Amino acid sequence: MARVFEKAFWMGEIVPISEAHVSVASAAVLYGLSVYTVFPINKTKQGFFAFRLRDHYERLIRSSRIIGLDTFESQWSFEKFQQTVGELMSANTFTEDVFVRATIHATDLVPGTRSRGLTTNLSMFIYEASPIVPQNGARVKTSVWRRTPDESIPSRAKVNGAYVNSVLAKQDAIDCGYDDCIFLDNAGHVCELSAANIFMVRDGVLITPSSSSSILEGINRRTVIEIAETLGIKIVERTIDLTELYIADELFACGTSAFIAPIIEVDKRVVGKGVAGYVTQILKSKHFGVLHGTEVGFEHLLTVI
Ligand code: PMP
């Protein structure tokens, strides 16, 4: 379980987390009509910094735009969003890396199944949690549940209600004794894990499903691609068959809450040598450095709050 910090932002002010409530009659609860993002605030030598805050803000706006929650964008500029993160940080005391969950909720009561014009409210709270995928070698299985396609509930939008898809898949994996799942699309191609993107290394090439493969366009996925580019690693974004995972030299998951997690087994097939591969280890260490301000050339991704 995560440790949630005492003060939250809700209904325009900082309040005790115990007072940050959404009505049981709201569209947010009735239909899962909320969109969210989670970004880290990390300790660096220069103090605490938010990672890729503008990218997280923009993805939040895009998620709301996709599902038609159209009242948020005009009310919340990036500057106002950033200032609110600052107020939330000042209201809480923390000494180590933390996560912030920012959610736009549709708060109208029993509005019916629609989205346009609904009242929206932003919540934000800080929490500490362990990585969602083991960091020293994850064992995964193909999910019995398929990833929601773009023409059904778009995986590109981070919609709270859509996360039932991830819960079903993760629970199935846990029930079967695995750490996480591999989601396939309806054609049997690889998408991602329950809440992390996937990368494969074959013959020295870094390969990941393209952004039109029913995935969330992960901010760490983009970061990994940018790091790999600086290292001169060839990157390909394309359709991946399940059986390619069985013969990959290396596999890893990446995400805000997964960091970079080597995958050492898929459906009982050992990946590579059964330990974190060379490329995975380099990217994992560089990614940690990028998040903590020690990688030269990536400092612009950290936002001073
Ligand atoms: N896919 C899904 C389904 C996720 O929930 C997440 C976590 N946000 C990711 C991928 C990774 O995205 P990010 O790197 O932005 O955390």
Side-chain angles (χ1 to χ4, degrees):
M1 285 289 180
R3 173 185 166 215
V4 179
F5 284 70
E6 208 180 313
K7 294 286 168 57
F9 176 83
W10 181 230
M11 291 289 179
E13 52 183 338
I14 301 287
V15 295
I17 187 81
S18 56
E19 291 174 19
H21 295 305
V22 177
S23 168
V24 292
S26 65
V29 171
L30 296 183
Y31 313 120
L33 207 54
S34 302
V35 294
Y36 79 99
T37 194
V38 173
F39 58 86
I41 293 185
N42 292 329
K43 192 174 174 179
T44 76
K45 286 206 181 81
Q46 287 77 38
F48 283 94
F49 286 86
F51 182 61
R52 301 197 86 144
L53 191 62
R54 189 177 276 277
D55 293 324
H56 278 280
Y57 165 81
E58 279 171 8
R59 188 173 65 189
L60 200 54
I61 297 287
R62 287 178 190 149
S63 294
S64 64
R65 201 180 284 180
I66 289 170
I67 64 164
L69 285 178
D70 58 358
T71 57
F72 183 79
E73 199 170 340
S74 60
Q75 292 162 10
W76 280 86
S77 65
F78 173 66
E79 290 67 30
K80 188 171 161 191
F81 184 81
Q82 180 175 354
Q83 192 188 328
T84 303
V85 176
E87 285 167 22
L88 181 69
M89 282 174 72
S90 311
N92 289 283
T93 309
F94 50 90
T95 52
E96 299 301 330
D97 296 353
V98 289
F99 298 107
V100 176
R101 187 165 176 125
T103 310
I104 304 170
H105 306 273
T107 47
D108 285 315
L109 308 186
V110 199
T113 46
R114 63 192 185 89
S115 57
R116 210 163 301 291
L118 295 187
T119 310
T120 47
N121 276 287
L122 176 71
S123 74
M124 266 193 213
F125 64 84
I126 299 181
Y127 68 100
E128 265 174 8
S130 310
I132 56 168
V133 185
Q135 297 295 290
N136 56 355
R139 297 169 54 254
V140 301
K141 78 174 279 265
T142 307
S143 182
V144 294
W145 303 96
R146 294 293 167 109
R147 190 75 178 120
T148 50
D150 200 58
E151 67 272 22
S152 171
I153 303 180
S155 299
R156 181 174 287 108
K158 214 162 160 48
V159 183
N160 289 42
Y163 269 77
V164 171
N165 188 217
S166 290
V167 170
L168 284 168
K170 177 87 176 190
Q171 190 61 56
D172 167 55
I174 294 169
D175 290 347
C176 296
Y178 294 85
D179 298 310
D180 212 303
C181 68
I182 301 289
F183 260 135
L184 304 180
D185 65 16
N186 286 335
H189 295 129
V190 173
C191 303
E192 55 186 339
L193 279 76
S194 64
N197 292 111
I198 189 165
F199 282 85
M200 156 175 93
V201 180
R202 284 190 71 187
D203 301 324
V205 179
L206 190 59
I207 307 165
T208 193
S210 74
S211 60
S212 58
S213 300
S214 296
I215 62 166
L216 179 76
E217 294 175 344
I219 285 167
N220 293 277
R221 173 184 179 278
R222 194 184 316 166
T223 307
V224 166
I225 291 172
E226 288 167 11
I227 296 170
E229 275 166 358
T230 66
L231 295 171
I233 297 171
K234 185 171 179 206
I235 305 141
V236 179
E237 296 178 52
R238 66 159 171 83
T239 302
I240 296 180
D241 291 332
L242 173 62
T243 51
E244 288 188 273
L245 302 187
Y246 296 169
I247 56 168
D249 301 320
E250 299 182 31
L251 279 183
F252 64 87
C254 80
T256 301
S257 308
F259 304 97
I260 290 192
I263 297 172
I264 55 164
E265 197 185 298
V266 181
D267 297 339
K268 300 284 182 198
R269 277 87 169 171
V270 173
V271 177
K273 297 196 168 54
V275 290
Y278 178 68
V279 176
T280 306
Q281 284 183 43
I282 293 180
L283 290 172
K284 184 169 174 59
S285 133
K286 294 260 176 201
H287 179 256
F288 183 89
V290 169
L291 285 173
H292 293 88
T294 56
E295 273 306 314
V296 177
F298 288 91
E299 301 86 346
H300 63 283
L301 300 181
L302 302 179
T303 310
V304 192
I305 306 290

